[in-house]
Amino acid sequence: MTRVLMILTSWDKLGDTGDKTGFFWEEMASPYWSFRDAGLQVDLASVQGGHPPADPGSDDGNGQRTEAVQRFMDDADAMTALETTAKLADIDPSQYDAVFLPGGHGTMWDLRQTEAVGQAVSRIYERGGVVGAVCHGPAGLLGATETGGAPLVQGKRVNGFTNSEEKAAGLDTVVPFLLEDALKEQGANFQHSVEDFCGFAVRDGRLVTGQNPASSEMVAHRMLEALEEAGLKAA
């Protein structure tokens, strides 16, 4: 069975604001079900293991949640998997055909900064696997390299939460760095939608990235296309 490793943030503090953050529900749940419904096995891991924090602002509550989020919360097995994620450092990346990094502002404080994240992404990509990330999830690509040491994103078409969107969210002076700038600094060909907060995703071979929560399903579908082309998609 084709296996996807999903890596979640373990960080819950939104800088010095006193507010909480974590992963973004839609960015985790929508791709999770896209992969599962396509017949793939999805394993959840996080930087520290255990129950990763969810950004409270990403849960709209009963009656307002997206279908994917509500489905995840109603599924006992999925919720158990979320509450008991493996610690990423204990995972063998060679067992996976793809890796996906959901966003949420928590990722800005621990995905780039955790060596195991860059190592997992690098190993899966090097062995012909597919790499995907959405919104702030591409922060986890900043520690990844290709064989020879060049940044994974160098020279590739890449997308992620933009400087404009960060400013519109009022968090451009809160996050430890601006994701768009950091990706460009590593040589990425950063592409984005004309308007903020519109769904937008970019695929460059086996690397797929999306701009914001509205891009989550797009990223998953393009990852499935890449897996099929690589002969890795489930039958």
Side-chain angles (χ1 to χ4, degrees), residues 167-226:
K167 291 175 183 176
L171 295 171
D172 56 306
T173 60
V174 174
V175 291
F177 60 92
L178 291 174
L179 181 57
E180 177 181 338
D181 286 352
L183 290 166
K184 289 178 177 178
E185 287 166 4
Q186 290 199 356
N189 176 6
F190 192 88
Q191 302 183 351
H192 58 85
S193 62
V194 175
E195 297 182 11
D196 290 345
F197 304 107
C198 291
F200 188 86
V202 174
R203 178 184 166 198
D204 194 323
R206 292 181 289 109
L207 178 62
V208 185
T209 45
Q211 186 165 324
N212 45 43
S215 315
S216 303
E217 190 170 355
M218 296 180 189
V219 173
H221 287 171
R222 292 181 185 181
M223 286 183 67
L224 289 171
E225 291 174 355

Side-chain angles (χ1 to χ4, degrees), residues 20-21 52 94 106 115 190 227:
K20 293 294 186 180
T21 187
S94 69
E115 187 176 0
F190 192 88
L227 282 165

Side-chain angles (χ1 to χ4, degrees), residues 5-15 20-25 27-28 43-56 58 81-88 99-114 117 133-140 176-177:
L5 176 63
M6 189 175 290
I7 303 173
L8 297 162
T9 177
S10 292
W11 194 271
D12 69 350
K13 298 179 183 65
L14 191 60
K20 293 294 186 180
T21 187
F23 71 84
F24 201 94
W25 271 106
E27 297 168 19
M28 183 275 294
D43 293 340
L44 302 183
S46 62
V47 172
Q48 296 297 330
H51 194 173
D55 188 319
S58 69
L82 178 64
E83 293 163 3
T84 58
T85 66
K87 184 176 181 178
L88 182 59
V99 58
F100 177 71
L101 308 171
H105 274 92
T107 62
M108 295 293 284
W109 279 271
D110 70 353
L111 290 198
R112 180 183 192 176
Q113 298 85 342
T114 302
V117 175
V134 68
C135 201
H136 290 89
F177 60 92

